[in-house]
Amino acid sequence: MMVTNDYITVNGSGSGGFGKIEEDYIKRHHKHDVHDHQCSSSLVKHIKAPVHLVWSLVRRFDQPQKYKPFVSRCIVQGDLQIGSVREVNVKSGLPATTSTERLELLDDEEHIFGMRIVGGDHRLKNYSSIVTVHPEVIDGRPGTLVIESFVVDVPDGNTKDETCYFVEALIKCNLKSLADVSEHLAVQDRTEPIDRI
């Protein structure tokens, strides 16, 4: 387990570093079938913005660049529905230029988003992730608990720890950016403290 600022990361199937609420959400929504040649992990981020703002960014399969700093462009083929495929262009600095991704799950009621990488010039083979967003109260105001989990093949020449560390670093950048964008929108939205509503 690793705790840094407001991130909690747990590798593998254990969940020793999470509180009961996080554990319950992970058991309910973040189930991955992990094989011996794969690694898996879950990350948690607390965002000082209401769920509707955070979810409005997370659910946009067609516009990941709204909060993902490494995405320069995205083109979706067909209508935005389960099974839709997007072609993502990756900014320089990463060991990839393109990624082909399929929308696996989009539940606006439960706030669950799932995607799978199906192609591209990178080493993330059989990558699949689930993101869930949950309402919480932070400093007396509406906040959001975001959980992102993934499973991916361990490339030849790498260890499970190295692979998890690399993917977790990318997800942490995405979650930090998601928090920055959401909190900026929340300030503009001027959400009142819960105890005043």
Side-chain angles (χ1 to χ4, degrees):
M1 182 194 71
M2 181 169 67
V3 180
T4 51
N5 297 336
D6 50 351
Y7 292 101
I8 302 177
T9 307
V10 174
N11 295 321
S13 58
S15 56
F18 294 121
K20 175 134 182 34
I21 292 171
E22 288 94 340
E23 277 186 28
D24 288 345
Y25 287 140
I26 290 169
K27 283 177 186 167
R28 193 179 322 155
H29 302 299
H30 295 263
K31 295 174 184 160
H32 296 282
D33 190 14
V34 185
H35 300 284
D36 288 343
H37 64 286
Q38 295 180 314
C39 72
S40 180
S41 184
S42 300
L43 293 92
V44 167
K45 177 77 173 161
H46 300 277
I47 298 178
K48 295 177 180 177
V51 165
H52 73 274
L53 286 179
V54 178
W55 178 244
S56 71
L57 293 165
V58 170
R59 74 174 307 282
R60 292 303 300 264
F61 181 72
D62 58 333
Q63 295 185 351
Q65 67 272 25
K66 280 192 173 285
Y67 77 91
K68 291 189 174 184
F70 301 114
V71 175
S72 61
R73 195 175 127 204
C74 174
I75 299 171
V76 174
Q77 301 163 2
D79 294 331
L80 189 60
Q81 57 190 3
I82 304 302
S84 292
V85 173
R86 68 185 180 192
E87 296 288 339
V88 173
N89 287 20
V90 180
K91 289 182 179 175
S92 61
L94 287 179
T97 58
T98 62
S99 181
T100 307
E101 303 167 357
R102 185 174 61 226
L103 181 61
E104 300 280 299
L105 183 59
L106 183 64
D107 187 330
D108 281 313
E109 288 187 17
E110 294 282 332
H111 296 143
I112 308 169
F113 175 91
M115 59 79 74
R116 176 179 298 277
I117 294 180
V118 294
D121 64 344
H122 50 72
R123 301 183 76 199
L124 298 178
K125 304 300 180 198
N126 292 313
Y127 179 91
S128 164
S129 75
I130 297 171
V131 180
T132 58
V133 302
H134 313 274
E136 65 176 357
V137 177
I138 301 174
D139 299 332
R141 293 178 177 271
T144 302
L145 167 65
V146 180
I147 302 172
E148 183 161 356
S149 63
F150 70 89
V151 61
V152 68
D153 289 2
V154 176
D156 290 340
N158 289 93
T159 66
K160 286 187 179 183
D161 284 348
E162 288 168 342
T163 305
C164 264
Y165 182 82
F166 172 73
V167 177
E168 286 167 1
L170 290 179
I171 291 175
K172 283 178 186 176
C173 285
N174 288 339
L175 291 177
K176 182 186 183 307
S177 180
L178 176 62
D180 290 345
V181 174
S182 300
E183 289 169 3
H184 179 70
L185 288 171
V187 168
Q188 292 177 331
D189 207 30
R190 290 189 172 81
T191 306
E192 288 296 311
I194 286 175
D195 58 5
R196 290 189 198 161
I197 296 174

